[in-house]
Amino acid sequence: MVRRKREKKRRPPFGIPKGIVLLATPEGWRHSVFTVDGGTHCGRFTDVPVNAGPAEARAAAAAMLVGLAHDFHEARVDVTWDLPQEPGSWTAQVTVAASPPNAFG
């Protein structure tokens, strides 16, 4: 009998996102993503124009978070933006969405 080589299950490079801070800077839109395991990942959006408005930047950030949760954790998440506390800064909470009921029983 031929045995298949056992593959180690790789741990995702970071935890599920739980929040984000979005900042408008003269160089472009920057973000800091906070994860449930205590990690922080920072960067800037290269696909969002420097002169883009807050709505476009928030949409790009939400899409990024949804994509990361799906691709690395196979989870669906909802992104809820808080009211801005100061100009040029936005925060959002990320929650794992309820799984849809199994259609096959």
Side-chain angles (χ1 to χ4, degrees), residues 24-81:
T25 69
E27 297 81 32
W29 291 94
R30 300 198 58 82
H31 59 81
S32 294
V33 176
F34 306 101
T35 65
V36 295
D37 62 356
T40 303
H41 304 279
C42 302
R44 68 181 178 92
F45 290 106
T46 57
D47 56 344
V48 177
V50 173
N51 60 351
E56 186 177 350
R58 287 193 309 264
M64 176 190 70
L65 293 168
V66 168
L68 289 172
H70 177 268
D71 294 348
F72 290 102
H73 299 283
E74 297 178 358
R76 289 186 333 109
V77 296
D78 294 321
V79 179
T80 306
W81 291 97

